[in-house]
Amino acid sequence: MTTATGQNTQTQAKTDGGYPDAATQLDAVRLKQYLGRMMLIRRFEERTMQSYMQGKIGGFCHIYIGQEAVAVGSIAATRPDDPIITAYRDHGHALARDMDPRHCMAEMFGKITGCAKGKGGSMHLFDKPNHMYGGHAIVGGQCPLGVGLAWGIHYLKEPKVCLCYLGDGALNQGAFHESMNLAAIWNLPIIFVVENNMYSMGTSIERGTSMAHDLSVKAKAYGIRYAECDGLDFRAVYNCFKHEVDRTRPTEGDQESGDGPAFINVVTYRYQGHSMSDPQKYRTREEVQQKQADDPITRMAEWLIDDGHATQEEIDELDQQAKEQAIASVRYAEESDEPELDELYTDVFSEPFEPYKTGEPPLMMREAEDQ
Amino acid sequence: MTRNDRKIQFREALREAMVEEMQRDEKIFLMGEEVAYYNGAYKVSQGMLDLFGPKRVVDTPISETGFAGLGVGAAMYGLRPIIEFMSWSFCLVAADQIINNAPKMLYMSGGQFGVPIVFRGNNGAGGQLGTTHSWCVESMFAQVPGLKLAIPSTPREAKGLLKTAIRDNDPVFFLESERMLGMGARGDKDFSRYLHGGKWAPPSEEEDDDFLIPFGKANLVKTGADCTIVTAGRPLHFALEAAEALEEDGIDVEVIDCRTYRPLDIDTIVKSVRKTNYCVVVDQSWPFASIASEIAMQIYERAMDDLDNKVIRVTNDDVAAPYSKKLEQAMLPHARKIIDAVRAVTYNT
Ligand SMILES: Cc1ncc(C[n+]2csc(CCOP(=O)(O)OP(=O)(O)O)c2C)c(N)n1
Ligand SMILES: [Mg+2]
């Protein structure tokens, strides 16, 4: 609970072991669905890299492989209309939030069928029907926006929670610190999710971030609840988020209820380079291999088999589906049209004046309305 | 009460606009430093906390990036924030939020997320505040597509334009002036005789509960035959002062208040230049890549053949704002400079 001054009184760290094993409450159908989603992200990203190398995707492109359990595990603990917002490494969040992979791939191909009609690209994926408020490519810049989403929830007295994802590199941006302070003084329903993959580009967290060995102090400084979990383990992520999201969620009509903001340090690893052009001189092959031995998808598959939630055949089938979906998304993107030149002047203003034009909503939006 | 009898200060007009709009739409809230308990650093929001309570009139810590970005996020979520900067000089620490996120969100989301937000506050030299506190941001920000930029020149304009800004579905940068907030306190004495006849005071809510001044429609404040002066905001008053002085010398200028630089009503400007064949643009920001340069260029593009001389720009000098009263005066646009410019451009030296 919070005191009159908005200070959270409970700030002690919760580690993996401390959470009720909520994941065991999930039935086999849902567990397989989440594993399937992680596999989809993996296979989708493999195709993304391939398409990038073939010159079909341009610009900067950041691959989510290795971090799949973070997006899928945390989003599994939310309700579909809880707003989420993230940085530029956003393909995983979009897919975890149910964006059709075809619209996601088409966006990266710069096609009119993309989620933003080819105007946003890999780093700026938005999905309004699924309450994803974007990928944002200025490091830390999404944090104040996330606080704004939480302010909206608070203002409208809704029973929702905002998940605001950021990289460990964003811990050193002023925008993040101002956001933590505002969230704390107003007790807003927001969770800052640090996807701590231990590097920001080539800078290891120890080299760039004070108190890297104990990030809880960042939360304590603002009187915000701290938690941490193993981001390579779906179960650990889900258990942690189920607990923290439920605690933060206010009850309808009572914006003072709920335990207020939290800061969750999700320790994870990216198996690929920072972006598609990274020679990776800053880390050893052994380190990467060691982390790959802990692969979140293999771990979850083994758990499901061991606990009798799925058979090996079912798991192979899930992976097969993921591969097919990924291939289909590339085919769809390839076959889609590029935007007409008219699109250059649409979506500049919502009430256009000369020389601007009114645009059609993206196909993704129109499909969502038809449903 | 007739309009002429209304004595309403610029700051009161701003407040009236916000209060009327907030009463109309619960999604609107005002947020900024000292807007609530302190009653506004410049008393613009005086009494609004009592009217609307702390949920809708919200004091923030000194975190421009934080609360400007919060506003953008809240606008994406469906609210309609008014974000007050104590001064536009302080918005620079929030640049990423106000010029990256607010005006480009609609575009980069392919039309999914609009940002109906108003950023407002004091712009321009406050009087011997030195360079960090004397920013004129219009030229710098007018460059960015996706935002609107309004600069009111009288209490009437302040109310009508701010109400329009609040109802607009796109981000509006609303540039007030500390030096004008008290204008109107002494009635007509604060204003040029060209603004007499009640033109400077807005109607009260009882007189007109829907008093809106549309964006992108310049105001022809004074008609004249000999030279066009184009400006907006506080320099309008210098231009009118110059007009009175020039009239005594037999030079009859036409004065245009752009009201909004984005969108810019170039048609009204060009129409006037076609008539007078001469033009002076008065802009209180720096000359390099400025509003004044842009307007001059657009005139050349559309009415080159109608001009009998080049366009002359009256702007801030291209230096940081000095503290010294004498130097500051020398740096800012004022009536004397405008008079000289009109004489020079019309070959009346
Ligand atoms: C303000 C800003 N500075 C620099 C960059 C360039 N840049 C993009 S990503 C990045 C590293 C960020 O690392 P982290 O936050 O840990 O996220 P990760 O890439 O690990 O997901 C940098 C320096 C940027 N996009 N924005
Ligand atoms: Mg990182």
Side-chain angles (χ1 to χ4, degrees), chain B residues 67-102:
Chain B
F67 67 77
L70 182 156
V72 178
M76 290 172 77
Y77 200 70
L79 302 183
R80 305 187 71 89
I82 305 171
I83 301 295
E84 177 173 312
F85 291 122
M86 199 179 272
S87 157
W88 276 96
S89 292
F90 310 146
C91 82
L92 301 180
V93 297
D96 179 44
Q97 298 302 327
I98 66 172
I99 55 176
N100 229 350
N101 286 341

Side-chain angles (χ1 to χ4, degrees), chain B residues 89-314:
Chain B
S89 292
F90 310 146
C91 82
L92 301 180
V93 297
D96 179 44
Q97 298 302 327
I98 66 172
I99 55 176
N100 229 350
N101 286 341
K104 298 175 188 164
M105 200 68 74
L106 187 71
Y107 200 79
M108 68 174 167
S109 67
Q112 295 187 60
F113 290 102
V115 180
I117 193 168
V118 178
F119 296 110
R120 47 160 290 271
N122 290 320
N123 178 59
Q128 288 195 276
L129 299 179
T131 193
T132 58
H133 282 49
S134 302
W135 270 88
C136 289
V137 296
E138 51 266 49
S139 288
M140 187 166 61
F141 291 154
Q143 241 244 329
V144 183
L147 58 82
K148 295 183 180 177
L149 213 148
I151 311 191
S153 56
T154 66
R156 180 182 177 83
E157 297 286 320
K159 182 172 179 183
L161 288 171
L162 185 52
K163 281 172 72 86
T164 301
I166 295 168
R167 293 191 196 183
D168 201 286
N169 283 326
D170 291 305
V172 179
F173 286 37
F174 199 87
L175 276 47
E176 299 151 14
S177 158
E178 182 189 337
R179 299 291 287 271
M180 294 206 298
L181 290 177
M183 260 192 168
R186 297 175 301 151
D188 287 349
K189 290 190 198 71
D190 290 323
F191 298 93
S192 156
R193 63 183 163 86
Y194 296 118
L195 286 166
H196 285 192
K199 273 207 183 126
W200 60 267
S204 66
E205 194 173 11
E206 295 73 49
E207 286 161 339
D208 182 354
D209 62 1
D210 213 23
F211 176 65
L212 300 166
I213 296 178
F215 283 4
K217 295 255 180 297
N219 187 17
L220 192 59
V221 176
K222 175 189 177 306
T223 54
D226 299 333
C227 177
T228 302
I229 303 177
V230 182
T231 189
R234 184 163 176 243
L236 173 74
H237 300 278
F238 308 146
L240 293 174
E241 197 183 325
E244 289 187 35
L246 287 161
E247 199 176 53
E248 283 166 23
D249 298 344
I251 302 174
D252 182 21
V253 296
E254 181 142 306
V255 181
I256 294 175
D257 177 359
C258 290
R259 285 178 166 153
T260 55
Y261 281 138
R262 284 284 216 155
L264 179 69
D265 181 4
I266 190 66
D267 292 345
T268 296
I269 297 168
V270 165
K271 197 173 155 206
S272 169
V273 171
R274 290 221 163 100
K275 183 178 76 175
T276 63
N277 310 116
Y278 297 102
C279 185
V280 169
V281 187
V282 186
D283 165 9
Q284 58 181 346
S285 52
W286 289 303
F288 198 96
S290 62
I291 297 264
S293 309
E294 176 63 26
I295 291 176
M297 185 63 204
Q298 290 202 25
I299 292 171
Y300 291 137
E301 284 171 342
R302 288 169 172 78
M304 185 78 167
D305 295 343
D306 295 287
L307 284 169
D308 287 342
N309 200 348
K310 64 184 180 180
V311 175
I312 294 190
R313 297 173 297 164
V314 177

Side-chain angles (χ1 to χ4, degrees), chain A residues 88-89 137-139 167-170 173 197 199-201 270 274:
Chain A
Y88 48 85
R89 195 180 296 284
I138 300 300
V139 169
D168 47 289
Q173 270 285 8
N197 59 15
Y199 293 93
S200 52
M201 285 186 77
R270 66 167 154 74
H274 165 72

Side-chain angles (χ1 to χ4, degrees), chain A residues 261-299:
Chain A
F263 170 97
I264 306 186
N265 174 18
V266 189
V267 183
T268 178
Y269 202 76
R270 66 167 154 74
Y271 293 166
Q272 300 298 317
H274 165 72
S275 66
M276 288 298 296
S277 57
D278 175 2
Q280 302 188 58
K281 294 266 167 58
Y282 50 85
R283 62 183 188 183
T284 61
R285 191 175 287 276
E286 290 71 42
E287 180 183 299
V288 179
Q289 281 166 351
Q290 190 204 328
K291 294 287 182 181
Q292 278 171 333
D294 249 356
D295 190 304
I297 293 180
T298 316
R299 265 167 94 169

Side-chain angles (χ1 to χ4, degrees), chain A residues 115-117 119-120 126 128 133 138 141 144 148-149 151 155 158 160 178 182 186 344 346-347 349-351 362, chain B residues 26 28-29 55-56 59 61 63 65-66 70 73-74 77 96-97 100 106-113 146 169-170:
Chain A
C115 61
K117 301 193 282 186
K119 290 176 170 181
F126 290 80
K128 194 170 190 176
Y133 286 78
I138 300 300
L149 301 174
W151 173 265
Y155 193 89
E158 295 172 336
K160 294 185 193 168
E178 293 190 17
L182 293 179
W186 293 325
L344 197 55
T346 64
D347 308 317
F349 289 98
S350 38
E351 290 150 14
Chain B
E26 277 200 20
I28 303 168
F29 64 92
K55 188 182 140 193
R56 297 187 67 198
D59 277 334
S63 308
T65 288
L70 182 156
Y77 200 70
D96 179 44
Q97 298 302 327
N100 229 350
L106 187 71
Y107 200 79
M108 68 174 167
S109 67
Q112 295 187 60
F113 290 102
N169 283 326
D170 291 305

